[in-house]
Amino acid sequence: MQRSVKSRAVRQAINFCRSQHSKVATESEAPAEWKGVVGLEIHAQISTSSKLFSRSSTEFNSPVNENVALFDAAIPGTLPVINKACVESALLTALALQCRINPASTFDRKHYFYADMPAGYQITQQRNALANNGVLRFYVTPPDGKPYLKSSKLKQLQLEQDSGKSLHDIEGRKSLVDLNRAGIALMELVFEPDLSNGEEAASLVKELALIFRKLKTCSCKMEEGALRVDANVSVQKTNSTTLGPRTEIKNINSIRGVANAINFEIQRQIDANKRNERVVVETRAYDAQNKSTVAMRDKEEKQDYRFMPEPNLPPLRLAKGETGDKKIVSIDAILKRIPELPETLREKLMNEFDLVPIQAINLVNDEFLLELFYELCNQIENPNGRTVYGIIMIDLLSLLKQNSISYDKNPISTGNLLELYHLKQGRLISSHVVSKVMDALNQDPSKSAQKIVEENSWFLINDREVILKVCTEVVAENQKKVRAVLKGKKNSFGPLISAVDKKLNNQVDMQLARSIMEELIEKERNK
Amino acid sequence: MTIKQLSKELQDMTIAPTKLCEASLKRIKNSKYLNNFITISKELAYEQAQASEKLIKAGETRSPLEGLPVAVKDNFCTKNIRTSCASKMLENFIPTYNATVVQKLVDHGAVIVGKTNMDEFAMGSGAVDSAFGPTKNVWKTPSGHLKVNTFQGNQTKAVDAEEDWFIAGGSSGGSAAAVASGACVAALGSDTGGSTRIPAAYCGIVGLKPTYGLLSRHGLIPLVNSMDVPGILTRNVDDTTLIFNLLAGWDPKDSTTVQEDFEPIDLESDFNLRNITIGIPQEYHSPGIDAQVLNSWSSVTTLLEKLGATIVPVSLPHTKYSIACYSILNHCEVASNMARYDGIEYGLRSAEQQSTEEMFAKSRSQGLNQVVRGRVISGNYFLLSRNYENHFLQALRLRRLIANDFLNVWANGVDLLLTPVTLGEAPRFSEFTLKDNREQCATQDYCTQPANLAGCPAISIPTQLSKNGMPLGLQLLAPNFDDAI
């Protein structure tokens, strides 16, 4: 017995290696020696009610040029006054990302002429940012594979102003400027180029968004431009440390776009290399429709931003301990405000409730369902996390999705979810019945799960005699499949069980059915 | 008359604010030949004077400034009054807000009679580089009446007469000329490298450059943010003190103002010089300094010594590098500060329609004079990433050394420094314009800009008249925040 288990594991391992190997092999016939190197720069609007250096509102969708203080329009003589709430938000974010905080950071002017940049420069933190050297750990879930942990180093987190928006009327040869967005606080996060493909990049952005929402420092509404991603992409030979020329994809505004744009760009660069064409250092834009990137016309030559220290803002000083001075932000005070972060939540779920990584990831990605998970677990003595997970994340979620029901209109009460849990966990009903009960509850939420099961006699069938009888029937009716199983074709075993389940109205105790069926087949072998 | 004395007349109702306002406006009109005002805010001034009159009658005087005419340099934003910075770029710019110092004047009952002439964007030391023409010194300048006569006469003579006048000094020349001509009791100037002290010296009045951070810059259209301070021009030191006390203090709108509570200054009438040590920095014996200035300097030194002050020679070894350091920092900040004048949100917009970039370029070349454009170009050059280290950062290091020179002197027990303000008396226009703006600034600002680099307070006080009958002034410098002395 011991031996067979071991050998199965070894066999699996070999199979795994083989499949991996064959995958690599097929790829290496074409490019394989090239791999992508990706670094992200992320701009996140800080969700404060007023701007970084003025008191005007940051509300999205306000009438054009409504939220414009004199400073935002760069009216001569106006001066920047820093918004403490923005500093606190950026600091909270930096601390959550385990950054080293600069006790005194400074602001710089970055110069360039653009119609929606009224002062002719952006106030940013180039030389001495708020925070450096953070790290973000996150799970990458490749489309076809197991999730794995990845981490990316955060080089810098800085505060800066957003620009306004330009509208170009090509026919009328006119440009219109809306300064509502000008001066909104941004956190710019610059990550080291330690990712290798679009999925990793998308996963990073997802995790970051999760953290921002948890911290309430950014709305992360990518469609409103609250979170914008720039990706630096180059390719490198796997056996080399020299990077190829780097392109920058600007302003990607969806998570799917991040993955697609980067994967396209990596492939484009690999193809160019294979054709011995030079990859040009340039800025590219993502074309969501064609899932491709295209060269942008501006910034043809390298701009010199002529950085200069912002003379109107003294260094931004942060206090270590608590201070009596209300004007100074205390690092320790902000540190206390960090809630439980996704990474910790996932670890807890895996340790306390024995969930596998993908289950923990899925739960943490959904605040509502995570809360429900905890609510149920708290009301159960020694809860089985995986059973609770199944009820919520498989049965409940598919009910809601199939019927397009929003979370706030969830028809299944916590009481009924608990009843379902106990029925399932006590092996009184099958998985299939759980979803049938939910359908019934969706029709009439006032009913009790327990009652529905009772009324319909949907209890799990675990009477050995009954199952044996049906199994025997199935064996008799499916001789072909039985013979196949006997020849070693494992695939044919499942359909036999399904047939049993079906005959028993999807109420059979699967485990029991399996062992009975195995016995029967062994008997057949001996015939 | 001091402000206090004049204020008493108003309180006693021997003079009515409206009458005083009228007299002030008449004086401005009569001295139009000085070209010291760009905009006269007649209607608003009358409104303010009327309000003052009511308050005085009701016994609700807001301050000793109640009802007194004051002028403001045209680089301070004034609500509903054009603020042009003497530039075509802002020829039509009417701010919707008052600079903090202007608002304080208004809140204390001052009557703002108008906006005074200056070098464009305060870049200059002569008040000659203005889009509205140069300002003339009230001393020895033929009056308007005379001028008209000269024009009616022989052509050559007219030109001679035109060039015969002395400059007012700059860049706050209009403000200095306004106070000196008696059009107002005080005027706001600004001082980045000497722009308040130089015209004060040339016009024979008192000009104070306060410590950086004591007076709000909110609403002062910047030249060099890290050096600009609002300056105060008055006829005597009592008036300077009075205005300074009204204007100083923390402004939440200017993050570079000092947050501590401001203690008003009280000038002691029995001020004792015995406890005071005055330093005479040898580096201010610059070549090209006028003998009369040196004379005045030494005679005042002797006088102070007789009155009991301890006089010590001191050294500020980095003074000779100061002007180069000042120029680089000045041009860099100018390049940055001027970037906003693109014709989009306000200011002159060229009719150019080709492209946005073309429109920017045309608007800027049409709206800004050559001095401004020259500084923008050199400033941008210094800020290029390849030059930043060798120019801008070096200049910042030098600035630290210059500031340390002052700190060393104060640390050695020196309370005040006595220096010349300018190298000579006010030059004639013809003489002054022989050199270009850049050269003139390097000469004129020699004694004044170190105080801006260090941030310390400095006051220019008239001492005597030159042989030509032109006023000469000397400068007293004090440690930062010791404006009281």
Side-chain angles (χ1 to χ4, degrees):
Chain A
M1 191 65 192
Q2 189 88 38
R3 200 171 161 262
S4 80
V5 169
K6 207 180 200 172
S7 68
R8 197 189 300 153
V10 171
R11 225 182 299 133
Q12 269 183 352
I14 293 170
N15 277 340
F16 175 76
C17 285
R18 201 178 284 154
S19 70
Q20 283 297 97
H21 186 75
S22 67
K23 214 172 166 188
V24 172
T26 47
E27 274 174 10
S28 75
E29 280 162 24
E33 75 257 44
W34 290 100
K35 66 164 189 170
V37 178
V38 182
L40 298 184
E41 283 180 30
I42 293 168
H43 288 95
Q45 284 183 344
I46 299 178
S47 38
T48 43
S49 55
S50 60
K51 294 183 178 179
L52 182 55
F53 298 121
S54 79
R55 289 182 176 195
S56 37
S57 161
T58 55
E59 184 145 338
F60 189 74
N61 263 343
S62 298
V64 170
N65 286 322
E66 170 115 334
N67 304 332
V68 187
L70 294 177
F71 176 79
D72 305 324
I75 297 295
T78 54
L79 298 169
V81 178
I82 196 154
N83 180 343
K84 191 180 162 200
C86 295
V87 177
E88 290 176 337
S89 289
L91 180 59
L92 179 65
T93 310
L95 287 170
L97 296 171
Q98 299 165 55
C99 288
R100 187 175 55 76
I101 306 297
N102 278 324
S105 59
T106 53
F107 290 90
D108 299 288
R109 292 179 177 181
K110 177 182 182 179
H111 297 91
Y112 55 98
F113 280 109
Y114 212 73
D116 53 30
M117 179 67 73
Y121 55 80
Q122 173 196 34
I123 303 179
T124 177
Q125 296 193 298
Q126 155 82 0
R127 294 188 171 102
N128 196 1
L130 182 79
N132 297 93
N133 300 339
V135 67
L136 178 61
R137 272 181 292 275
F138 53 97
Y139 271 100
V140 183
T141 323
D144 51 352
K146 264 183 92 174
Y148 59 93
L149 263 175
K150 176 88 193 170
S151 80
S152 186
K153 291 196 197 78
L154 176 58
K155 200 152 68 178
Q156 178 153 321
L157 188 151
Q158 67 199 44
L159 277 166
E160 61 183 35
Q161 300 171 295
D162 208 341
S163 63
K165 281 182 187 167
S166 290
L167 269 168
H168 302 287
D169 174 2
I170 311 271
E171 266 176 44
R173 297 192 52 78
K174 256 186 199 161
S175 289
L176 303 168
V177 178
D178 177 7
L179 293 180
N180 278 348
R181 200 180 70 176
I184 289 184
L186 291 177
M187 296 182 273
E188 179 174 340
L189 295 93
V190 184
F191 287 93
E192 296 283 358
D194 38 26
L195 309 178
S196 45
N197 57 49
E199 283 72 34
E200 291 188 354
S203 303
L204 183 154
V205 177
K206 251 192 238 169
E207 181 75 3
L208 201 58
L210 213 52
I211 294 173
F212 287 164
R213 286 203 198 95
K214 195 86 200 165
L215 300 173
K216 299 190 171 69
T217 55
C218 171
S219 76
C220 298
K221 288 179 181 162
M222 291 184 89
E223 67 283 5
E224 291 182 5
L227 189 70
R228 312 194 285 271
V229 180
D230 298 345
N232 293 312
V233 178
S234 58
V235 293
Q236 157 179 66
K237 287 208 168 169
T238 39
N239 56 3
S240 152
T241 48
T242 43
L243 283 175
R246 199 180 75 174
T247 62
E248 186 182 15
I249 314 170
K250 279 265 176 207
N251 284 336
I252 314 171
N253 59 2
S254 75
I255 288 183
R256 189 177 296 270
V258 170
N260 289 339
I262 291 171
N263 284 339
F264 173 88
E265 183 59 19
I266 291 173
Q267 198 54 49
R268 188 188 69 85
Q269 292 186 16
I270 290 175
D271 291 347
N273 275 300
K274 282 199 292 185
R275 288 195 303 267
N276 282 326
E277 287 169 9
R278 251 183 69 234
V279 174
V280 188
V281 178
E282 62 185 355
T283 306
R284 300 178 69 86
Y286 176 57
D287 174 357
Q289 214 148 35
N290 297 313
K291 292 184 185 169
S292 66
T293 64
V294 285
M296 277 161 75
R297 266 195 305 121
D298 62 333
K299 277 200 182 178
E300 278 153 353
E301 52 190 293
K302 201 173 173 289
Q303 287 233 24
D304 190 323
Y305 293 116
R306 293 157 282 129
F307 284 100
M308 186 191 90
E310 167 56 65
N312 294 320
L313 289 165
L316 170 58
R317 291 186 197 283
L318 304 168
K320 258 222 144 323
E322 302 277 349
T323 62
D325 193 342
K326 275 190 175 169
K327 283 176 216 131
I328 299 176
V329 177
S330 152
I331 298 175
D332 290 351
I334 299 291
L335 206 52
K336 284 181 199 149
R337 276 170 34 187
I338 300 181
E340 250 180 331
L341 294 172
E343 195 186 354
T344 324
L345 283 171
R346 281 190 300 259
E347 268 166 27
K348 271 195 172 173
L349 288 170
M350 289 191 277
N351 292 335
E352 286 173 26
F353 300 103
D354 195 32
L355 298 186
V356 294
I358 186 71
Q359 293 175 328
I361 295 168
N362 289 340
L363 265 182
V364 170
N365 282 348
D366 194 311
E367 215 172 321
F368 174 83
L369 296 173
L370 177 65
E371 209 172 291
L372 191 58
F373 178 85
Y374 273 114
E375 197 185 334
L376 294 184
C377 287
N378 286 340
Q379 295 181 48
I380 301 166
E381 210 173 320
N382 291 325
N384 181 317
R386 294 191 191 189
T387 309
V388 179
Y389 179 90
I391 287 173
I392 294 176
M393 296 299 286
I394 297 170
D395 302 309
L396 177 62
L397 199 55
S398 56
L399 173 85
L400 299 180
K401 280 201 174 150
Q402 272 163 24
N403 299 290
S404 314
I405 303 168
S406 62
Y407 286 157
D408 55 333
K409 301 222 165 72
N410 168 27
I412 319 289
S413 66
T414 313
N416 273 332
L417 287 172
L418 280 172
E419 283 181 15
L420 283 169
Y421 168 83
H422 288 298
L423 288 165
K424 181 81 202 323
Q425 185 61 22
R427 299 188 56 204
L428 295 171
I429 56 171
S430 69
S431 295
H432 188 84
V433 168
V434 175
S435 69
K436 272 177 31 179
V437 175
M438 283 200 186
D439 282 332
L441 285 170
N442 187 28
Q443 301 302 318
D444 184 358
S446 62
K447 276 194 168 166
S448 131
Q450 177 87 28
K451 280 263 165 60
I452 294 171
V453 174
E454 281 166 13
E455 281 167 16
N456 297 290
S457 327
W458 279 345
F459 286 105
L460 195 71
I461 296 168
N462 49 13
D463 184 328
R464 214 184 140 78
E465 291 307 309
V466 175
I467 299 172
L468 182 62
K469 189 176 158 252
V470 177
C471 281
T472 315
E473 276 172 35
V474 168
V475 167
E477 286 159 14
N478 295 281
Q479 274 298 312
K480 245 192 203 169
K481 287 207 173 81
V482 172
R483 275 198 298 276
V485 174
L486 283 174
K487 277 180 195 160
K489 278 203 172 177
K490 289 213 149 203
N491 291 353
S492 303
F493 188 73
L496 292 175
I497 299 295
S498 300
V500 175
D501 192 30
K502 210 170 172 189
K503 274 182 184 270
L504 288 170
N505 209 18
N506 297 109
Q507 282 167 255
V508 75
D509 180 337
M510 287 289 192
Q511 246 176 310
L512 197 54
R514 268 171 200 280
S515 74
I516 292 171
M517 185 58 85
E518 272 172 12
E519 281 167 28
L520 280 180
I521 289 177
E522 280 307 302
K523 271 184 196 162
E524 287 285 308
R525 189 192 299 278
N526 299 334
K527 263 186 186 170
Chain B
M1 264 209 271
T2 65
I3 290 178
K4 270 190 193 141
Q5 290 163 335
L6 199 53
S7 175
K8 193 168 179 299
E9 301 280 331
L10 289 180
Q11 293 307 308
D12 297 346
M13 293 188 233
T14 31
I15 315 168
T18 45
K19 287 275 176 271
L20 190 60
C21 178
E22 200 175 305
S24 165
L25 291 168
K26 201 173 162 197
R27 179 69 61 90
I28 294 171
K29 208 176 159 193
N30 288 342
S31 52
K32 214 177 162 199
Y33 64 96
L34 295 174
N35 196 26
N36 52 357
F37 280 83
I38 292 176
T39 306
I40 298 157
S41 48
K42 193 175 165 183
E43 281 166 31
L44 278 171
Y46 268 119
E47 276 174 32
Q48 285 166 339
Q50 276 160 358
S52 287
E53 209 161 302
K54 267 189 203 155
L55 287 171
I56 289 174
K57 276 181 189 156
E60 288 168 12
T61 307
R62 289 169 286 185
S63 86
L65 216 50
E66 186 76 70
L68 295 183
V70 169
V72 175
K73 188 177 178 180
D74 209 23
N75 57 352
F76 286 94
C77 285
T78 40
K79 193 175 178 178
N80 299 330
I81 307 173
R82 174 174 71 164
T83 300
S84 74
C85 270
S87 174
K88 272 191 81 168
M89 180 54 86
L90 294 181
E91 202 176 349
N92 296 316
F93 175 57
I94 298 173
T96 56
Y97 76 108
N98 274 332
T100 299
V101 284
V102 172
Q103 190 60 46
K104 284 190 174 181
L105 287 177
V106 172
D107 291 345
H108 284 107
V111 173
I112 311 288
V113 288
K115 304 295 295 291
T116 58
N117 202 359
M118 56 190 275
D119 289 298
E120 181 163 333
F121 283 103
M123 296 181 210
S125 50
V128 295
D129 287 316
S130 160
F132 299 88
T135 297
K136 296 169 188 177
N137 202 314
V138 70
W139 294 74
K140 295 262 162 177
T141 295
S143 75
H145 185 66
L146 270 175
K147 198 180 114 195
V148 174
N149 278 350
T150 330
F151 265 125
Q152 282 166 352
N154 162 323
Q155 190 60 36
T156 20
K157 239 184 160 182
V159 171
D160 280 346
E162 262 290 89
E163 290 188 352
D164 200 28
W165 50 270
F166 292 88
I167 65 161
S171 63
S172 313
S175 288
V179 173
S181 71
C184 51
V185 297
L188 284 182
S190 63
D191 195 314
T192 309
S195 280
T196 292
R197 288 160 289 158
I198 293 169
Y202 284 164
C203 294
I205 58 170
V206 178
L208 172 72
K209 171 222 172 285
T211 301
Y212 185 85
L214 279 185
L215 264 61
S216 168
R217 293 182 297 113
H218 170 71
L220 166 61
I221 298 180
L223 172 57
V224 184
N225 300 281
S226 63
M227 301 180 206
D228 291 342
V229 287
I232 298 165
L233 293 137
T234 54
R235 279 195 295 271
N236 57 62
V237 179
D238 280 329
D239 292 356
T240 311
T241 314
L242 191 146
I243 306 265
F244 175 75
N245 284 340
L246 295 181
L247 298 184
W250 178 56
D251 179 10
K253 289 174 183 160
D254 177 359
S255 311
T256 62
T257 50
V258 182
Q259 297 201 359
E260 285 143 39
D261 288 338
F262 169 73
E263 290 273 338
I265 293 167
D266 191 11
L267 287 187
E268 297 162 37
S269 49
D270 54 345
F271 187 71
N272 191 351
L273 277 166
R274 272 181 208 289
N275 306 321
I276 297 286
T277 303
I278 296 171
I280 309 295
Q282 56 191 56
E283 286 78 6
Y284 285 67
H285 279 275
S286 79
I289 199 161
D290 192 305
Q292 295 185 75
V293 174
L294 287 179
N295 242 335
S296 166
W297 193 8
S298 58
S299 64
V300 170
T301 308
T302 318
L303 180 67
L304 289 168
E305 201 166 16
K306 267 189 202 159
L307 291 172
T310 313
I311 305 290
V312 288
V314 297
S315 171
L316 299 163
H318 297 94
T319 303
K320 56 177 180 248
Y321 306 117
S322 192
I323 200 82
C325 163
Y326 170 75
S327 303
I328 290 178
L329 296 179
N330 179 306
H331 293 197
C332 290
E333 282 204 32
V334 163
S336 177
N337 289 334
M338 291 296 132
R340 69 188 56 208
Y341 302 106
D342 56 12
I344 301 255
E345 285 82 14
Y346 45 81
L348 181 89
R349 184 189 294 183
S350 133
E352 179 63 52
Q353 294 271 319
Q354 271 305 313
S355 71
T356 311
E357 286 74 16
E358 277 297 307
M359 192 276 283
F360 287 163
K362 283 268 167 66
S363 302
R364 289 168 68 79
S365 55
Q366 287 167 11
L368 303 171
N369 75 5
Q370 213 171 350
V371 175
V372 177
R373 281 182 282 144
R375 291 196 193 184
V376 167
I377 288 181
S378 63
N380 276 322
Y381 174 80
F382 296 139
L383 286 176
L384 286 177
S385 56
R386 64 169 192 273
N387 297 331
Y388 185 78
E389 172 76 29
N390 290 336
H391 293 89
F392 188 75
L393 279 189
Q394 282 297 91
L396 281 186
R397 291 186 189 113
L398 207 47
R399 182 177 188 176
R400 171 59 55 93
L401 291 175
I402 290 159
N404 285 345
D405 278 356
F406 282 101
L407 293 180
N408 286 336
V409 168
W410 311 135
N412 285 327
V414 172
D415 300 306
L416 289 170
L417 292 174
L418 179 70
T419 79
V421 185
T422 57
L423 305 182
E425 61 183 18
R428 288 167 198 278
F429 180 67
S430 54
E431 199 185 331
F432 187 83
T433 47
L434 286 177
K435 293 183 185 165
D436 69 11
N437 179 291
R438 197 194 60 76
E439 262 186 282
Q440 279 299 358
C441 286
T443 319
Q444 301 286 332
D445 296 350
Y446 186 86
C447 298
T448 46
Q449 42 73 31
N452 297 86
L453 291 174
C456 67
I459 189 164
S460 161
I461 300 168
T463 50
Q464 65 183 74
L465 292 180
S466 71
K467 275 179 247 157
N468 283 333
M470 292 300 290
L472 292 172
L474 286 178
Q475 170 177 240
L476 282 170
L477 296 105
N480 291 25
F481 305 112
D482 281 356
D483 302 63
I485 302 175

